[in-house]
């Protein structure tokens, strides 16, 4: 998975269903440890709540971990619907916690599931989504006569992070992994194979 969607920032939403208050929290995480820490943080924040339902989907070091927890609600009524929202939106490295303060009126399985699902959707929408690309870092050294044409090509495929000027020019830059091979071919053609790229 070179490219994936995740949350742009943290999101929060509050909804009311039959006097029960539902508060949703959504956040981008890099690891399962971060996801668990966030869940515990919300549980401490709302330790007086009836339930703190959670779900997360995390990809790290090539493995995909997905978990959800009903936290005392009827099995399958809450954690799974929250997880399904993350999954249906194609999000990775995302954790969602929905806190419930019971309002005295039972919702029934269907309405309970909908309440958790809708609160999760609102929290995720509040956070916003962003596409993340896996990138490769390169370093290149060349003479001043090639400066403009090399800059144009690098900026077409990625972004320059560092520039050094001495008797030669040195760029350190990032290229989207998906375009690595195509970029190599274009650079070789542009410089007639006289300039070597090295991975930084």
């Amino acid at each position: 998975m070179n490219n994936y969607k995740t949350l742009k920032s943290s999101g929060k939403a509050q909804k009311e269903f039959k006097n029960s208050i539902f508060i949703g929290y959504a956040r981008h995480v890099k690891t399962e440890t971060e996801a668990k820490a966030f869940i515990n943080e919300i549980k401490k924040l709302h330790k007086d709540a009836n339930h703190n339902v959670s779900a997360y989907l995390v990809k790290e070091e090539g493995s995909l971990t997905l978990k959800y927890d009903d936290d005392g609600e009827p099995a399958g009524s809450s954690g799974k619907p929250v997880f399904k929202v993350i999954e249906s939106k194609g999000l990775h490295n995302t954790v969602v916690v929905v806190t419930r303060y019971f309002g005295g009126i039972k919702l029934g399985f269907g309405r309970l599931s909908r309440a958790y699902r809708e609160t999760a959707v609102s929290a995720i929408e509040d956070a916003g989504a962003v596409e993340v690309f896996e990138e490769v870092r390169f370093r290149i050294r060349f003479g001043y006569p090639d400066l403009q044409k090399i800059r144009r090509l690098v900026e077409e495929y990625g972004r320059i992070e560092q520039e050094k000027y001495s008797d030669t020019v040195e760029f350190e830059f990032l290229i989207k992994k998906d375009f690595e091979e195509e970029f190599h071919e274009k650079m070789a053609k542009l410089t007639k194979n006289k300039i070597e790229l090295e991975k930084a």
Side-chain angles (χ1 to χ4, degrees):
M1 183 182 71
N2 293 338
N3 308 336
Y4 64 94
K5 264 199 327 184
T6 190
L7 299 181
K8 192 188 295 182
S9 59
S10 296
K12 185 180 176 183
Q14 184 169 318
K15 290 182 173 287
E16 188 176 326
F17 297 87
K18 297 278 185 183
N19 295 341
S20 281
I21 302 295
F22 291 80
I23 308 164
Y25 298 88
R27 183 180 284 184
H28 163 74
V29 289
K30 290 178 182 172
T31 63
E32 185 180 14
T33 304
E34 276 186 32
K36 288 178 175 176
F38 179 67
I39 292 164
N40 288 331
E41 185 185 317
I42 300 302
K43 282 185 172 182
K44 280 179 189 172
L45 183 66
H46 294 289
K47 57 177 182 271
D48 57 335
N50 299 87
H51 309 278
N52 287 290
V53 166
S54 60
Y56 60 84
L57 193 156
V58 178
K59 181 177 171 61
E60 55 180 322
E61 294 169 5
S63 66
L64 197 63
T65 306
L66 46 101
K67 284 188 182 165
Y68 51 84
D69 179 15
D70 295 312
D71 194 37
E73 291 282 29
S77 68
S78 47
K80 192 172 184 180
V82 170
F83 173 75
K84 286 290 183 188
V85 171
I86 298 171
E87 190 178 49
S88 69
K89 289 188 175 289
L91 295 167
H92 287 77
N93 291 33
T94 297
V95 57
V96 177
V97 183
V98 180
T99 296
R100 181 191 184 192
Y101 287 91
F102 182 54
I105 302 169
K106 290 189 176 179
L107 295 176
F109 192 94
R111 281 190 292 188
L112 189 63
S113 293
R114 194 177 80 234
Y116 276 104
R117 186 173 61 248
E118 287 182 12
T119 307
V121 166
S122 294
I124 284 170
E125 285 175 352
D126 185 57
V130 65
E131 188 122 15
V132 175
F133 299 92
E134 191 177 334
E135 295 176 308
V136 186
R137 185 179 293 273
F138 286 102
R139 191 179 292 118
I140 187 170
R141 291 180 191 86
F142 53 90
Y144 282 86
D146 296 318
L147 177 59
Q148 291 310 317
K149 64 181 182 181
I150 287 176
R151 181 190 293 280
R152 271 197 300 273
L153 184 64
V154 169
E155 288 179 346
E156 183 185 336
Y157 282 89
R159 66 183 191 277
I160 299 168
E161 292 234 302
Q162 280 187 15
E163 300 179 32
K164 291 178 186 172
Y165 298 91
S166 55
D167 52 334
T168 60
V169 182
E170 182 183 304
F171 284 169
E172 196 167 298
F173 57 94
L174 293 165
I175 296 288
K176 290 175 187 173
K177 192 170 176 63
D178 288 353
F179 298 137
E180 185 179 357
E181 195 176 317
E182 186 181 324
F183 175 76
H184 264 282
E185 288 170 7
K186 289 266 185 84
M187 183 61 80
K189 191 175 177 183
L190 183 72
T191 61
K192 299 181 173 61
N193 277 321
K194 289 176 185 171
I195 294 170
E196 280 192 26
L197 281 173
E198 61 178 70
K199 287 197 175 180

